[in-house]
Amino acid sequence: MYHVTMTIHTIANDELERAVAVLRSGELLAFPTETVYGLGADASNPQAVKKIFALKGRPSSHPVIVHIGDVSELSRWASEVSPAAQKLAAAFWPGPFTLILKRAATVNDAVTGGQDTVALRVPSHSIAQQLLRAFGGGIAAPSANRFGHVSPTLASHVRDEFGDDLLVLDGGDCEIGLESTIISCAGEVPHLLRPGKITLSQLQAVVPEVTTALAIDTPRAPGMLEKHYSPATPIRIVNRVQLDQLLYEYVQRKQKVAVLAMYAGDIEQDTVSWVNAGNDAAAYAHSLYANLRTLDKAGAQCMLVEQVPSGEQWQAVTDRLQRAAAD
Ligand code: TXA
Ligand code: MG
């Protein structure tokens, strides 16, 4: 049903053994997934999970996703798996999809932020799969960036965030480039908490009652804070006419400006850093975070981002751009 074509990456046995030893000893490592890189710890070890929050600078009340190798491990982590959750898991795992379920009694508070629910995902990336199978347990992992920063889609992004002391399994660039679609199946009606590559219509094709309406007891989710996924350079989302106008003004004033557009710019000024991200939604998403990181380094006063189209394919990109632009 849902399908991504993947490059198969593998890691050498000795590196895999080292990675498993790091997890077993309660330390952290970064690993690739098809969405973004994760900062992982043994999900059954609360001391290890706490190190994630310390390193990221993330409030400890924010829950993290537990990555598992296979859907058959669900019952170790969730106490209730509704028929809707089972259908969604069967359709979209392994893949860029996260389910929020009522947690099993054994799941520790460091993972859930003290809530009665747990977030679970079976990633499809071959190295994530290799690691999960060799480790044999759940790996708690948020995106491998400092709190509020842009998520990493390359091993070098993770090193830029955390330096060389952290073990980073290199799986090349992440195929999808945006975080997973999150659905809560912990309440009465399954609902979308975070848009991602898997769209609402794809979800509804499997479970028609999935809605975007948020439940009254909306769980705490930092991905839902207004400002998130942010570069340091202030971002303005503009249409093409505004872009032309503003660009002209920046050039006149000889001020540096960064531009993320869907077409090639014809301005040859060294004060203008221009990225043409194209108009294909999947390709745009794939390179969005790398583009934001590149443009952030231009030392510009402002980053002008051309507004993307409104279709469903663009929903996740729109969501991330709006959060990146929020002040
Ligand atoms: O694609 C992804 O989902 C990546 C890769 C590494 O798997 N992970 C990721 O994790 O984006 P993170 O922590 O950056 O975002 C996970 C989101 C957060 O907004 C968190 O609050 C929410 O999931 N979340 C986790 N557990 C939850 C729960 N029990 N209830 C509601 N939201 C939850
Ligand atoms: Mg994150």
Side-chain angles (χ1 to χ4, degrees), residues 40-207:
D42 176 356
S44 66
N45 178 344
Q47 296 315 319
V49 175
K50 283 179 187 153
K51 290 179 186 167
I52 296 176
F53 294 91
L55 187 61
K56 274 188 69 113
R58 171 164 162 160
S60 59
S61 58
H62 289 169
V64 288
I65 298 173
V66 176
H67 298 72
I68 54 178
D70 189 85
V71 63
S72 62
E73 289 164 44
L74 256 192
S75 56
R76 278 165 65 181
W77 300 94
S79 61
E80 268 174 51
V81 187
S82 64
Q86 282 171 24
K87 281 189 208 157
L88 293 168
F92 300 114
W93 278 347
F97 175 68
T98 297
L99 263 180
I100 311 276
L101 297 169
K102 285 271 190 295
R103 75 174 189 185
T106 48
V107 183
N108 67 67
D109 285 340
V111 163
T112 65
Q115 302 189 61
D116 62 356
T117 54
V118 62
L120 294 157
R121 171 156 115 83
V122 180
S124 63
H125 193 289
S126 42
I127 291 179
Q129 277 288 330
Q130 253 187 299
L131 179 65
L132 285 161
R133 279 166 205 278
F135 178 57
I139 301 178
S143 50
N145 54 277
R146 289 185 194 276
F147 184 60
H149 282 195
V150 177
S151 298
T153 55
L154 280 170
S156 62
H157 295 162
V158 183
R159 291 190 203 103
D160 289 347
E161 293 275 334
F162 298 119
D164 289 331
D165 290 343
L166 181 73
L167 173 62
V168 183
L169 304 181
D170 193 338
D173 63 338
C174 301
E175 168 109 18
I176 292 165
L178 295 182
E179 303 81 355
S180 59
T181 302
I182 305 183
I183 292 288
S184 172
C185 283
E188 293 293 298
V189 184
H191 57 276
L192 182 69
L193 286 179
R194 181 173 69 184
K197 160 99 180 167
I198 296 168
T199 63
L200 188 61
S201 359
Q202 285 175 298
L203 295 161
Q204 287 172 336
V206 177
V207 173

